[in-house]
Amino acid sequence: MKKNRICGLIKKHLSERQKIIFLFMLILNLSLISCGVRKSVNHIPDIRPYALDIPKVNKINDSAFSFNRNHLTKNREQLWELYIQGNPLQLGYNNGALTQSLMQKQEEVFFSKVEGLVPSKFKQNLLRGFLKWYNRKMYLNIREDYQAELYGLSRYSSDRYNFIAPKFLRSMYLHGAHDIGHAMQDLMMVGCTSLAVWNENTEDGDLLIGRNFDFYVGDDFAKNKLIELVEPEDGIPYLSVSWPGMIGVVSGMNKEGITVTINAGKSKIPLTAKTPISLVTREILQFAKTIDEAIAIAKKRQVFVSESILVGSANDKNAVIIEVSPDNFGVYQVENTGKIFCTNHFQSEAYKNDKRNRKQITESHSEYRYEKLQELLQENKKLNPEKMAAILRDKSGLKGEKIGYGNEKAINQLLAHHAVIFSPQKRLAWVSANPYQLGAFVCYDLNEIFSGKKPVNGTLARSELNIPKDPFLDSQAFKNYEEYKFANAEISDAVNDKTIELTDGFIPHYQSLNPDFWLVYYQAGKYYFNRKEYSRAKPEFEKALSKEITTVPDRENVEKYLKKTEKKLR
């Protein structure tokens, strides 16, 4: 992960700490007295146009709840299925009432993560002031019906975090969390991979789309995956895959066979939040029947990060990538071929000379994954859903090279929140069960779900069409990877805190858990370097350089440490 530029500034000018604190306090005070901030903090959407029946939830058991025709159920694969219908305000209330415990748990996971990253109460206060100032114009860029829905949903949020912001504002902020994290820290927490194939590239000639949503905020955040089946009063019924408390869309398909998936691009830091990208894609799903209609919706919204939106269409039997950013817009489409790939760089003519995009292609892992997709399509002719699942689960590098588990150059980085496969013309969607994309892909038939029929055996899934779990899930290699994650956190703590001493056998064991991954040698090298054991650090950095390192900046960091180590040994 790339470090926050502000954090880098603080480290660079540590001697000017008092000036920086003063600057932050000044920004905070300006934010608190700003007219725009006061308006946004006190803003409440107009809910008067909407009729409301306050939900009275019937708890059937610990994994099944209902209210009228709305219901929440956990299926055998441990995926939560939510079906809701109504006007915008009713949708929000139904969603919040049924998922309240899950949504509050999700809030707890997210905000505890923030507290872990920013443990200081003083800095937390600064962060709250900054968020109020930064998000001051967000509500002006969100549709009024979505604001009403967010308001209804937020009524069921926890009171525990009211000190951060009022419930409605907090719910709105959370919908921009992906965008804000992407824009402010350039973390690339969403290093996703997606592809669409059709005609000669699929078994039946139909359009087939696959995607990995590599958004990682910790394992706890991904525990309660939510399949939302939404039947709005106005618009097209749709399926969305996300998490409790989310009305935006990161992966979804509507009853007309329009699909949307989002992939982060390289962004500059904007001065203010505008429309969260997940609400742009929600609008596409709810109101578009064709690619042209999807493009028109995306074009009229102001976003504040750079994002690729892969749109598939049953009616067009085609797929394109809509590329949006705060000050540019492009559409990438292919001719004379039935395949299109999307990683984390732009491909349209509009971004041909964009410096950030060119740098992204040169320095990140995006181009590598793009080439890997090309390689996998050469090896796997005539795709079907099972073959698509195998591609999304592929953990190898180019030419089958072992590059270590968790390497972001792999299609499967072993951190995905979810993976999905869409067959738009058949209106079928497959959603991966935990962990990552390794669990079974559970099938949903939108024609059946939105036909008004009652769920069979309490689930909305077409279980007979499920794709089995990945055999890797039962392997020793997977068990080692899960242990590696804990060991990596432990050595990271020791690298950052010289008072923590690791046992003699820790590092060899740690490296044996993921021996092909460059990071295990880099971490060991830094541990020894920080303790002035330069003769032990040098071979570790050399081993790291012999592996497939994720990005150009990562390789440069290893090289820098090796040079410093060699200088110390002279």
Side-chain angles (χ1 to χ4, degrees), residues 43-47 50 52 84 87-97 99 103 107 138-158 166-177 228 238 242-249 274-280 282 286:
H43 174 71
I44 296 293
D46 184 7
I47 60 174
Y50 306 110
L52 176 64
I84 53 175
N87 65 52
L89 184 64
Q90 191 71 59
L91 284 177
Y93 267 87
N94 294 349
N95 188 339
T99 67
M103 183 170 65
E107 269 194 301
M138 186 184 283
Y139 76 99
L140 298 173
N141 289 276
I142 295 178
R143 291 170 55 110
E144 290 184 4
D145 51 350
Y146 291 170
Q147 288 192 43
E149 187 174 342
L150 282 170
Y151 178 84
L153 178 71
S154 70
R155 296 308 87 196
Y156 297 89
S157 296
S158 171
K167 289 183 179 182
F168 167 71
L169 279 187
R170 206 164 71 235
S171 185
M172 193 166 60
Y173 291 174
L174 286 171
H175 279 74
E228 294 185 47
Y238 65 88
S242 59
W243 48 87
M246 180 74 158
I247 73 162
V249 175
K274 294 186 179 178
T275 311
I277 192 68
S278 69
L279 293 180
V280 177
R282 156 72 186 270
Q286 190 174 344

Side-chain angles (χ1 to χ4, degrees), residues 534-543 562 565-566 569:
Y534 304 119
S535 61
R536 300 180 76 178
K538 183 174 181 289
E540 299 296 347
F541 293 133
E542 289 171 339
K543 283 181 201 170
L562 179 59
T565 303
E566 288 174 336
L569 287 169

Side-chain angles (χ1 to χ4, degrees), residues 359-382:
K359 186 177 181 182
Q360 176 78 345
I361 293 170
T362 304
E363 295 189 355
S364 78
H365 42 76
S366 180
E367 179 69 14
Y368 188 98
R369 280 182 284 116
Y370 193 94
E371 291 174 9
K372 182 63 182 178
L373 283 176
Q374 292 177 315
E375 182 180 280
L376 289 169
L377 260 290
Q378 286 294 320
E379 297 170 1
N380 297 275
K381 307 291 185 182
K382 305 284 184 182

Side-chain angles (χ1 to χ4, degrees), residues 510-554:
Y510 160 65
Q511 293 175 336
S512 73
L513 296 172
N514 201 357
D516 299 309
F517 196 26
W518 69 276
L519 189 64
V520 298
Y521 306 104
Y522 179 52
Q523 290 278 64
K526 287 198 294 181
Y527 175 80
Y528 291 133
F529 183 90
N530 289 349
R531 282 151 184 78
K532 300 182 180 180
E533 297 181 53
Y534 304 119
S535 61
R536 300 180 76 178
K538 183 174 181 289
E540 299 296 347
F541 293 133
E542 289 171 339
K543 283 181 201 170
L545 288 169
S546 72
K547 303 296 181 182
E548 189 65 62
I549 296 179
T550 308
T551 66
V552 170
D554 285 332

Side-chain angles (χ1 to χ4, degrees), residues 293-545:
E293 290 176 0
I295 292 170
I297 290 169
K299 204 165 191 176
K300 70 182 180 181
R301 297 298 170 202
Q302 286 190 305
V303 298
F304 60 107
V305 293
S306 300
E307 204 86 21
S308 296
I309 308 170
L310 176 62
V311 177
S313 169
N315 291 326
D316 298 296
K317 197 185 174 183
N318 199 0
V320 303
I321 301 171
I322 303 172
E323 298 175 342
V324 299
S325 64
D327 50 16
N328 203 354
F329 185 93
V331 177
Y332 177 68
Q333 45 199 336
V334 294
E335 295 179 4
N336 304 318
T337 181
K339 60 185 178 183
I340 193 166
F341 304 146
C342 185
T343 50
N344 297 109
H345 61 271
F346 292 148
Q347 303 172 66
S348 69
E349 192 66 24
Y351 292 89
K352 184 178 179 180
N353 298 315
D354 187 282
K355 291 181 180 178
R356 286 184 181 81
N357 190 51
R358 291 208 305 269
K359 186 177 181 182
Q360 176 78 345
I361 293 170
T362 304
E363 295 189 355
S364 78
H365 42 76
S366 180
E367 179 69 14
Y368 188 98
R369 280 182 284 116
Y370 193 94
E371 291 174 9
K372 182 63 182 178
L373 283 176
Q374 292 177 315
E375 182 180 280
L376 289 169
L377 260 290
Q378 286 294 320
E379 297 170 1
N380 297 275
K381 307 291 185 182
K382 305 284 184 182
L383 294 189
N384 57 28
E386 289 77 15
K387 288 181 179 179
M388 181 66 82
I391 287 174
L392 297 177
R393 289 167 169 170
D394 191 280
K395 298 170 286 296
S396 66
L398 290 171
K399 298 180 180 178
E401 182 187 356
K402 293 182 178 181
I403 59 175
Y405 297 125
N407 195 320
E408 291 172 279
K409 283 188 168 179
I411 303 300
N412 178 6
Q413 302 169 18
L414 290 172
L415 51 72
H417 180 273
H418 63 261
V420 292
I421 299 168
F422 296 124
S423 180
Q425 286 146 285
K426 297 182 181 69
R427 309 300 195 267
L428 296 177
W430 287 262
V431 182
S432 68
N434 281 330
Y436 322 120
Q437 58 275 73
L438 302 179
F441 276 83
V442 180
C443 184
Y444 295 89
D445 183 338
L446 268 63
N447 281 331
E448 188 174 280
I449 290 167
F450 294 120
S451 67
K453 295 178 183 177
K454 289 185 178 180
V456 179
N457 300 321
T459 179
L460 295 167
R462 290 264 317 261
S463 301
E464 74 277 10
L465 297 180
N466 287 2
I467 299 169
K469 68 179 181 180
D470 190 335
F472 177 71
L473 196 54
D474 296 321
S475 70
Q476 185 59 48
F478 176 71
K479 293 182 179 68
N480 288 347
Y481 174 72
E482 292 293 277
E483 186 182 347
Y484 150 79
K485 290 197 301 181
F486 289 104
N488 192 57
E490 197 171 338
I491 195 170
S492 294
D493 289 341
V495 166
N496 295 323
D497 185 350
K498 293 180 184 179
T499 65
I500 299 174
E501 290 293 331
L502 300 174
T503 60
D504 290 341
F506 178 89
I507 287 178
H509 177 66
Y510 160 65
Q511 293 175 336
S512 73
L513 296 172
N514 201 357
D516 299 309
F517 196 26
W518 69 276
L519 189 64
V520 298
Y521 306 104
Y522 179 52
Q523 290 278 64
K526 287 198 294 181
Y527 175 80
Y528 291 133
F529 183 90
N530 289 349
R531 282 151 184 78
K532 300 182 180 180
E533 297 181 53
Y534 304 119
S535 61
R536 300 180 76 178
K538 183 174 181 289
E540 299 296 347
F541 293 133
E542 289 171 339
K543 283 181 201 170
L545 288 169

